[in-house]
Amino acid sequence: EVQLVESGGGLVQAGGSLRLSCVVSGFTFDDGAIGWFRQAPGKEREGVSCISSSEGSTYYADSVKGRFTISSDNAKNTVYLQMNSLKPEDTAVYYCAADRLPNCWALVVAGPSPDFGSWGQGTQVTVSS
């Protein structure tokens, strides 16, 4: 069974930084993609970023491009989301997700596939004004 555990969320002032971590078990990074999503009250779920080792690709939503950086440490089965220059609009619950289908664009648009993907439990990020 694939399991994902997020950590690193918290309260930060606008302009500050946070680093989220997603520890993944039961999943081989070389065979799929890992994405970060967020959902704020009253807003649709948004695909924030994705990394695919098999494709050698990354993805960033326009809303975070230039501020967020996704990376992975395959030996530790961990994916990170470095979030800089945070804005109050970034406040949301952040989720990581894994999918054995390796295409980042498909993952961030549709979420993990029912047969080949899994969600983490989420971590709260709050950016104060």
Side-chain angles (χ1 to χ4, degrees):
E1 180 181 353
V2 178
Q3 294 184 342
L4 305 97
V5 180
E6 301 97 331
S7 63
L11 175 65
V12 65
Q13 292 182 329
S17 298
L18 286 173
R19 189 193 194 196
L20 306 183
S21 299
C22 175
V23 179
V24 185
S25 61
F27 183 82
T28 302
F29 282 15
D30 290 344
D31 294 337
I34 306 292
W36 285 98
F37 300 78
R38 66 186 182 186
Q39 188 160 24
K43 298 185 66 177
E44 297 289 330
R45 184 184 67 201
E46 179 185 15
V48 174
S49 187
C50 176
I51 186 166
S52 174
S53 296
S54 59
E55 292 186 340
S57 64
T58 57
Y59 167 88
Y60 298 96
D62 289 342
S63 57
V64 307
K65 194 172 298 182
R67 300 187 296 120
F68 291 10
T69 303
I70 192 169
S71 62
S72 66
D73 185 337
N74 291 9
K76 296 181 178 180
N77 291 327
T78 302
V79 173
Y80 305 95
L81 186 67
Q82 179 67 45
M83 306 186 296
N84 298 326
S85 301
L86 283 163
K87 306 174 181 179
E89 305 94 272
D90 296 317
T91 296
V93 177
Y94 283 70
Y95 302 87
C96 62
D99 203 323
R100 286 193 284 147
L101 301 179
N103 185 266
C104 267
W105 186 87
L107 174 57
V108 299
V109 169
S113 61
D115 293 333
F116 302 108
S118 300
W119 288 99
Q121 84 291 340
T123 185
Q124 176 71 48
V125 172
T126 302
V127 184
S128 64
S129 59

mmCIF file of all heavy atoms in Angstrom, residues 6 9-10 12 21 23-24 39 57 63 67-68 70-71 77 79 82 84 86 92 103 105 107 110 112-113:
data_model
loop_
_atom_site.group_PDB
_atom_site.id
_atom_site.type_symbol
_atom_site.label_atom_id
_atom_site.label_comp_id
_atom_site.label_asym_id
_atom_site.label_seq_id
_atom_site.Cartn_x
_atom_site.Cartn_y
_atom_site.Cartn_z
ATOM 1 N N GLU A 6 2.777 14.128 4.938
ATOM 2 C CA GLU A 6 3.259 15.496 4.794
ATOM 3 C C GLU A 6 3.642 16.077 6.146
ATOM 4 O O GLU A 6 3.059 15.733 7.175
ATOM 5 C CB GLU A 6 2.183 16.391 4.154
ATOM 6 C CG GLU A 6 1.709 15.947 2.788
ATOM 7 C CD GLU A 6 0.429 15.141 2.847
ATOM 8 O OE1 GLU A 6 0.180 14.467 3.875
ATOM 9 O OE2 GLU A 6 -0.342 15.172 1.866
ATOM 10 N N GLY A 9 4.226 22.242 7.539
ATOM 11 C CA GLY A 9 3.313 23.368 7.525
ATOM 12 C C GLY A 9 3.368 24.147 8.823
ATOM 13 O O GLY A 9 3.930 23.702 9.825
ATOM 14 N N GLY A 10 2.785 25.327 8.799
ATOM 15 C CA GLY A 10 2.760 26.168 9.980
ATOM 16 C C GLY A 10 2.305 27.564 9.649
ATOM 17 O O GLY A 10 1.746 27.823 8.584
ATOM 18 N N VAL A 12 3.335 31.505 9.086
ATOM 19 C CA VAL A 12 4.459 32.322 8.660
ATOM 20 C C VAL A 12 3.934 33.673 8.194
ATOM 21 O O VAL A 12 2.805 33.777 7.707
ATOM 22 C CB VAL A 12 5.258 31.611 7.539
ATOM 23 C CG1 VAL A 12 4.410 31.452 6.287
ATOM 24 C CG2 VAL A 12 6.555 32.342 7.238
ATOM 25 N N SER A 21 7.604 18.699 3.454
ATOM 26 C CA SER A 21 8.169 17.396 3.144
ATOM 27 C C SER A 21 7.056 16.388 2.961
ATOM 28 O O SER A 21 6.017 16.464 3.619
ATOM 29 C CB SER A 21 9.097 16.918 4.267
ATOM 30 O OG SER A 21 10.187 17.788 4.451
ATOM 31 N N VAL A 23 7.000 12.238 2.821
ATOM 32 C CA VAL A 23 7.681 10.955 2.891
ATOM 33 C C VAL A 23 6.761 9.894 2.306
ATOM 34 O O VAL A 23 5.610 9.752 2.737
ATOM 35 C CB VAL A 23 8.069 10.599 4.333
ATOM 36 C CG1 VAL A 23 8.756 9.237 4.380
ATOM 37 C CG2 VAL A 23 8.982 11.667 4.917
ATOM 38 N N VAL A 24 7.266 9.164 1.335
ATOM 39 C CA VAL A 24 6.472 8.215 0.567
ATOM 40 C C VAL A 24 6.981 6.807 0.813
ATOM 41 O O VAL A 24 8.191 6.558 0.783
ATOM 42 C CB VAL A 24 6.520 8.534 -0.937
ATOM 43 C CG1 VAL A 24 5.596 7.609 -1.713
ATOM 44 C CG2 VAL A 24 6.158 9.989 -1.185
ATOM 45 N N GLN A 39 -5.732 23.277 -1.144
ATOM 46 C CA GLN A 39 -7.133 23.633 -1.161
ATOM 47 C C GLN A 39 -7.412 24.596 -0.010
ATOM 48 O O GLN A 39 -7.115 24.297 1.144
ATOM 49 C CB GLN A 39 -8.040 22.411 -1.051
ATOM 50 C CG GLN A 39 -9.511 22.729 -1.266
ATOM 51 C CD GLN A 39 -10.334 21.516 -1.634
ATOM 52 O OE1 GLN A 39 -9.967 20.385 -1.321
ATOM 53 N NE2 GLN A 39 -11.449 21.745 -2.301
ATOM 54 N N SER A 57 11.085 15.764 -15.509
ATOM 55 C CA SER A 57 10.339 17.001 -15.661
ATOM 56 C C SER A 57 9.809 17.494 -14.325
ATOM 57 O O SER A 57 9.641 16.727 -13.377
ATOM 58 C CB SER A 57 9.177 16.814 -16.638
ATOM 59 O OG SER A 57 8.239 15.880 -16.137
ATOM 60 N N SER A 63 0.563 30.470 -10.447
ATOM 61 C CA SER A 63 0.416 31.224 -9.217
ATOM 62 C C SER A 63 1.619 31.108 -8.286
ATOM 63 O O SER A 63 1.787 31.946 -7.396
ATOM 64 C CB SER A 63 -0.849 30.788 -8.476
ATOM 65 O OG SER A 63 -0.818 29.401 -8.203
ATOM 66 N N ARG A 67 8.491 31.260 -7.161
ATOM 67 C CA ARG A 67 8.514 31.336 -5.701
ATOM 68 C C ARG A 67 8.682 29.977 -5.038
ATOM 69 O O ARG A 67 9.296 29.883 -3.981
ATOM 70 C CB ARG A 67 7.233 31.985 -5.181
ATOM 71 C CG ARG A 67 7.008 33.402 -5.693
ATOM 72 C CD ARG A 67 5.820 34.060 -5.002
ATOM 73 N NE ARG A 67 4.568 33.362 -5.298
ATOM 74 C CZ ARG A 67 3.787 32.805 -4.381
ATOM 75 N NH1 ARG A 67 4.120 32.859 -3.089
ATOM 76 N NH2 ARG A 67 2.655 32.202 -4.737
ATOM 77 N N PHE A 68 8.123 28.929 -5.646
ATOM 78 C CA PHE A 68 8.172 27.585 -5.081
ATOM 79 C C PHE A 68 9.134 26.723 -5.894
ATOM 80 O O PHE A 68 9.260 26.886 -7.115
ATOM 81 C CB PHE A 68 6.792 26.918 -5.109
ATOM 82 C CG PHE A 68 5.768 27.508 -4.178
ATOM 83 C CD1 PHE A 68 5.991 28.697 -3.501
ATOM 84 C CD2 PHE A 68 4.558 26.856 -3.987
ATOM 85 C CE1 PHE A 68 5.040 29.237 -2.648
ATOM 86 C CE2 PHE A 68 3.594 27.381 -3.141
ATOM 87 C CZ PHE A 68 3.832 28.570 -2.471
ATOM 88 N N ILE A 70 10.215 22.499 -6.259
ATOM 89 C CA ILE A 70 10.021 21.108 -5.882
ATOM 90 C C ILE A 70 11.326 20.352 -6.096
ATOM 91 O O ILE A 70 12.061 20.620 -7.053
ATOM 92 C CB ILE A 70 8.860 20.466 -6.674
ATOM 93 C CG1 ILE A 70 8.467 19.114 -6.070
ATOM 94 C CG2 ILE A 70 9.199 20.323 -8.150
ATOM 95 C CD1 ILE A 70 7.166 18.553 -6.628
ATOM 96 N N SER A 71 11.618 19.415 -5.201
ATOM 97 C CA SER A 71 12.814 18.599 -5.317
ATOM 98 C C SER A 71 12.548 17.256 -4.658
ATOM 99 O O SER A 71 11.559 17.083 -3.936
ATOM 100 C CB SER A 71 14.027 19.284 -4.682
ATOM 101 O OG SER A 71 13.832 19.487 -3.297
ATOM 102 N N ASN A 77 13.215 8.637 -0.008
ATOM 103 C CA ASN A 77 11.817 8.551 -0.416
ATOM 104 C C ASN A 77 11.033 9.786 0.014
ATOM 105 O O ASN A 77 9.907 9.691 0.502
ATOM 106 C CB ASN A 77 11.165 7.287 0.142
ATOM 107 C CG ASN A 77 11.701 6.015 -0.490
ATOM 108 O OD1 ASN A 77 12.057 5.991 -1.665
ATOM 109 N ND2 ASN A 77 11.750 4.945 0.283
ATOM 110 N N VAL A 79 9.910 13.922 -0.995
ATOM 111 C CA VAL A 79 9.762 15.040 -1.916
ATOM 112 C C VAL A 79 9.547 16.302 -1.094
ATOM 113 O O VAL A 79 8.817 16.288 -0.100
ATOM 114 C CB VAL A 79 8.597 14.812 -2.893
ATOM 115 C CG1 VAL A 79 8.341 16.059 -3.733
ATOM 116 C CG2 VAL A 79 8.900 13.631 -3.805
ATOM 117 N N GLN A 82 9.847 23.717 -1.412
ATOM 118 C CA GLN A 82 10.384 24.929 -0.815
ATOM 119 C C GLN A 82 9.524 26.099 -1.263
ATOM 120 O O GLN A 82 9.404 26.359 -2.461
ATOM 121 C CB GLN A 82 11.839 25.143 -1.241
ATOM 122 C CG GLN A 82 12.470 26.407 -0.683
ATOM 123 C CD GLN A 82 12.651 26.358 0.815
ATOM 124 O OE1 GLN A 82 13.106 25.353 1.356
ATOM 125 N NE2 GLN A 82 12.275 27.428 1.499
ATOM 126 N N ASN A 84 8.960 30.071 -0.981
ATOM 127 C CA ASN A 84 9.538 31.362 -0.643
ATOM 128 C C ASN A 84 8.577 32.482 -1.027
ATOM 129 O O ASN A 84 7.655 32.292 -1.813
ATOM 130 C CB ASN A 84 10.873 31.560 -1.366
ATOM 131 C CG ASN A 84 11.917 30.544 -0.983
ATOM 132 O OD1 ASN A 84 11.970 30.087 0.155
ATOM 133 N ND2 ASN A 84 12.780 30.193 -1.935
ATOM 134 N N LEU A 86 6.182 33.933 0.478
ATOM 135 C CA LEU A 86 4.807 33.495 0.683
ATOM 136 C C LEU A 86 3.853 34.678 0.795
ATOM 137 O O LEU A 86 4.203 35.733 1.335
ATOM 138 C CB LEU A 86 4.717 32.626 1.932
ATOM 139 C CG LEU A 86 5.220 31.195 1.738
ATOM 140 C CD1 LEU A 86 5.488 30.531 3.077
ATOM 141 C CD2 LEU A 86 4.200 30.390 0.930
ATOM 142 N N ALA A 92 -3.596 27.566 2.764
ATOM 143 C CA ALA A 92 -4.372 26.415 2.325
ATOM 144 C C ALA A 92 -3.871 25.182 3.065
ATOM 145 O O ALA A 92 -2.833 25.214 3.731
ATOM 146 C CB ALA A 92 -4.243 26.200 0.814
ATOM 147 N N ASN A 103 3.182 11.104 -15.851
ATOM 148 C CA ASN A 103 3.025 12.394 -16.500
ATOM 149 C C ASN A 103 2.606 13.464 -15.505
ATOM 150 O O ASN A 103 1.535 13.391 -14.911
ATOM 151 C CB ASN A 103 2.004 12.291 -17.629
ATOM 152 C CG ASN A 103 1.886 13.566 -18.420
ATOM 153 O OD1 ASN A 103 1.041 14.397 -18.148
ATOM 154 N ND2 ASN A 103 2.766 13.730 -19.407
ATOM 155 N N TRP A 105 1.780 16.692 -16.007
ATOM 156 C CA TRP A 105 0.650 17.513 -16.419
ATOM 157 C C TRP A 105 -0.666 16.829 -16.070
ATOM 158 O O TRP A 105 -1.573 17.459 -15.530
ATOM 159 C CB TRP A 105 0.730 17.799 -17.918
ATOM 160 C CG TRP A 105 -0.314 18.754 -18.392
ATOM 161 C CD1 TRP A 105 -0.244 20.115 -18.408
ATOM 162 C CD2 TRP A 105 -1.602 18.416 -18.915
ATOM 163 N NE1 TRP A 105 -1.409 20.656 -18.913
ATOM 164 C CE2 TRP A 105 -2.258 19.636 -19.232
ATOM 165 C CE3 TRP A 105 -2.267 17.207 -19.158
ATOM 166 C CZ2 TRP A 105 -3.541 19.664 -19.768
ATOM 167 C CZ3 TRP A 105 -3.542 17.240 -19.691
ATOM 168 C CH2 TRP A 105 -4.163 18.454 -19.995
ATOM 169 N N LEU A 107 -1.172 14.581 -13.736
ATOM 170 C CA LEU A 107 -1.319 14.489 -12.293
ATOM 171 C C LEU A 107 -1.847 15.790 -11.701
ATOM 172 O O LEU A 107 -2.779 15.784 -10.898
ATOM 173 C CB LEU A 107 0.013 14.108 -11.647
ATOM 174 C CG LEU A 107 0.063 14.098 -10.120
ATOM 175 C CD1 LEU A 107 -0.991 13.160 -9.551
ATOM 176 C CD2 LEU A 107 1.448 13.690 -9.631
ATOM 177 N N ALA A 110 -5.682 16.477 -12.972
ATOM 178 C CA ALA A 110 -6.748 15.564 -12.581
ATOM 179 C C ALA A 110 -6.570 14.937 -11.210
ATOM 180 O O ALA A 110 -7.499 14.294 -10.718
ATOM 181 C CB ALA A 110 -6.884 14.463 -13.633
ATOM 182 N N PRO A 112 -4.308 12.239 -8.617
ATOM 183 C CA PRO A 112 -3.835 10.876 -8.838
ATOM 184 C C PRO A 112 -4.949 9.979 -9.362
ATOM 185 O O PRO A 112 -6.113 10.123 -8.993
ATOM 186 C CB PRO A 112 -3.363 10.428 -7.457
ATOM 187 C CG PRO A 112 -4.123 11.285 -6.503
ATOM 188 C CD PRO A 112 -4.274 12.613 -7.198
ATOM 189 N N SER A 113 -4.582 9.047 -10.215
ATOM 190 C CA SER A 113 -5.559 8.149 -10.808
ATOM 191 C C SER A 113 -6.083 7.186 -9.753
ATOM 192 O O SER A 113 -5.363 6.809 -8.824
ATOM 193 C CB SER A 113 -4.944 7.384 -11.974
ATOM 194 O OG SER A 113 -3.846 6.593 -11.538
#
